[in-house]
Amino acid sequence: METSMPKVFQLGFVALGVADFERTRDYYVDTFGTTEVDREKDGTVYLSVGYHHHDIVLRPADDKSLLHLGYQLNAGTELDAFAKEVGAFGLKAQKKSDSQPGIAELVEVEGPRGNIFQFYETIDAPAPGFKSGAVSPLSLGHVAVISHEAEKLIAFYRDFLGFWETDWIGDLANFLTCSYEHHVVNIVNAPLSKVHHIAFQLQDNSHQFRAADRLIADGVPTKWGPSRHTAGHNVASYHYDPDKNLIELYTDMDVFVPELGMCQPRPWHEHFPMKPKRWDPQFSAWEVEFGFDLAQG
Ligand SMILES: [Fe+2]
């Protein structure tokens, strides 16, 4: 099977405009277990899961919003050439130097319907370490975005960035990846423009229960799960941060093998080989009722 590599290899960070700022910042540091690595004069904080300069960026704002997504380009990518390619694809791209701490150079791209992307080849890695005694995820994993212009957004990911499509749920959700994980982004086709959820990987399934215990100790209820999804087969649990952003914690995500166009076989798969397919609108492998309206967020 002919495969070409995507231009990026991981989701690097998610930047949010935050209305309930102090509570949300404290939640991410004290309960979730990230470390504040940097703070700008306007109050923007840069939070690290454990290694990179930032995985989450929170900026004080009147209304909550998704500011931008950061994706790390493959090693050796030349930023000027990348910006030109984006322009040739028909989107606006601007190279920026020292526009944020931790990233000396990046290319900012205005995607469909105001979705802003920041692409960079290198990010500082101060490695503040992983906190113990908090939720303390392993890594930022994926983001689910609701878009008015899902088709255009999917085309950018698939046709320009080279993401592989790994599954669909009805006409509602598309799953795409640039790595071994089943999805790095899912795009929900609905007349809204917002982030649906942000997902972090945990160590293993026992970490799901430790995380849920840790969350409720700080008064944060788990709204769904841990339970297994259909597309991706991740064991997932969901809760809200204080600004009402939906946060997914996941383990056991399907491993996509691009050379074969399929996921590594697992005992709980409904069919073999687990190739990309259009699922019936059923999100839970165990038929547990899924508690979130994807089209509403
Ligand atoms: Fe997810």
Side-chain angles (χ1 to χ4, degrees), residues 28-284:
Y28 278 105
V29 172
D30 300 330
T31 303
F32 205 61
T34 62
T35 298
E36 185 178 313
V37 170
D38 242 316
R39 183 182 281 248
E40 293 191 280
K41 285 200 187 86
D42 69 357
T44 302
V45 293
Y46 292 80
L47 305 174
S48 174
V49 162
Y51 178 69
H52 293 113
H53 184 276
H54 49 278
D55 302 272
I56 309 164
V57 181
L58 306 177
R59 179 183 298 166
D62 291 336
D63 299 304
K64 71 170 190 169
S65 66
L66 172 61
L67 298 175
H68 47 257
L69 300 178
Y71 281 99
Q72 192 161 6
L73 293 157
N74 297 338
T77 303
E78 212 277 303
L79 292 188
D80 288 312
F82 176 78
K84 265 191 193 162
E85 281 184 61
V86 174
F89 189 75
L91 295 173
K92 274 190 208 157
Q94 190 186 0
K95 191 172 156 190
K96 293 186 169 182
S97 298
D98 299 320
S99 62
Q100 67 185 256
I103 301 180
E105 289 195 316
L106 58 83
V107 173
E108 191 166 280
V109 174
E110 193 179 327
R113 198 77 179 206
N115 278 271
I116 306 294
F117 298 90
Q118 293 183 336
F119 295 97
Y120 54 94
E121 195 224 358
T122 53
I123 179 170
D124 292 352
F130 293 81
K131 281 192 184 160
S132 58
V135 170
S136 306
L138 275 187
S139 58
L140 172 65
H142 65 268
V143 64
V145 174
I146 307 176
S147 177
H148 286 270
E149 295 188 331
E151 277 309 318
K152 283 189 187 168
L153 201 52
I154 292 162
F156 176 63
Y157 275 104
R158 181 192 58 211
D159 302 337
F160 179 72
L161 293 174
F163 277 54
W164 297 290
E165 290 186 289
T166 50
D167 268 319
W168 302 264
I169 291 186
D171 295 322
L172 187 61
N174 288 55
F175 296 79
L176 300 109
T177 191
C178 60
S179 79
Y180 61 92
E181 289 207 289
H182 175 273
H183 52 283
V184 170
V185 63
N186 51 30
I187 297 169
V188 179
N189 182 20
L192 282 174
S193 210
K194 58 184 284 195
V195 65
H196 182 271
H197 66 264
I198 303 164
F200 295 85
Q201 186 180 15
L202 300 181
Q203 296 171 22
D204 53 31
N205 288 336
S206 70
H207 196 180
Q208 288 279 5
F209 301 104
R210 296 200 302 280
D213 284 341
R214 183 63 185 79
L215 286 168
I216 201 62
D218 280 3
V220 181
T222 292
K223 294 294 190 181
W224 187 83
S227 195
R228 191 183 295 287
H229 277 305
T230 50
H233 292 94
N234 38 323
V235 172
S237 59
Y238 293 83
H239 66 276
Y240 287 105
D241 76 11
D243 217 36
K244 288 290 266 178
N245 295 298
L246 188 58
I247 304 299
E248 174 189 341
L249 302 174
Y250 73 91
T251 42
D252 230 4
M253 174 82 87
D254 276 351
V255 174
F256 183 64
V257 185
E259 291 84 353
L260 299 173
M262 61 178 273
C263 290
Q264 286 181 357
R266 293 289 183 265
W268 45 84
H269 282 171
E270 295 84 346
H271 63 269
F272 299 98
M274 184 52 72
K275 293 202 174 217
K277 72 164 202 167
R278 195 169 295 273
W279 296 79
D280 291 334
Q282 165 64 266
F283 292 92
S284 174

